[in-house]
Amino acid sequence: MELTATILLFIGVVFGFMAFTHLSMNMKIPKMTWMIHLVFVILGIAALIIYALSTENAEKHYNILVILGIALIPGVMILFGKRGTGSKKALAMVYGLVGLFGFFWLLTYVLP
């Protein structure tokens, strides 16, 4: 289940990077790009929650879930906020950096 969450979150990272690239070039983000990003991140976090609840060594996954929850705050602000392009780029950078940090932290548990 941990590997499934990692694969789903990796696909979410790829599509999130594609969306950030569009945003940084002042282009409109295609709806399917951010929808695919949203679906895969939600599925990855759900798989991580299920694994954290079913394993004995759950504290390492709770740490990752807290980090991804912190990344969720600017992500929701980007999605529902009526902000200018400059503030959306700043929020997207914060969202991306915190999300990548959580993803790489998850990789430290999966790879060894």
Side-chain angles (χ1 to χ4, degrees), residues 3-19:
L3 187 59
T4 303
T6 305
I7 291 169
L8 290 171
L9 287 174
F10 177 73
I11 294 170
V13 166
V14 169
F15 279 93
F17 183 73
M18 289 170 52

Side-chain angles (χ1 to χ4, degrees), residues 32-95:
M32 284 305 294
T33 302
W34 66 264
M35 288 292 284
I36 291 171
H37 167 73
L38 183 68
V39 166
F40 277 100
V41 168
I42 288 172
L43 289 175
I45 290 175
L48 200 58
I49 289 171
I50 291 169
Y51 183 71
L53 293 175
S54 65
T55 186
E56 301 89 26
N57 202 3
E59 62 273 352
K60 64 182 182 181
H61 298 297
Y62 291 139
N63 297 338
I64 295 167
L65 288 171
V66 167
I67 291 170
L68 294 176
I70 292 170
L72 182 72
I73 295 168
V76 169
M77 290 174 68
I78 292 169
L79 190 61
F80 295 116
K82 301 289 184 195
R83 305 227 188 304
T85 307
S87 63
K88 276 193 175 184
K89 284 182 186 178
L91 285 171
M93 285 184 92
V94 170
Y95 170 70

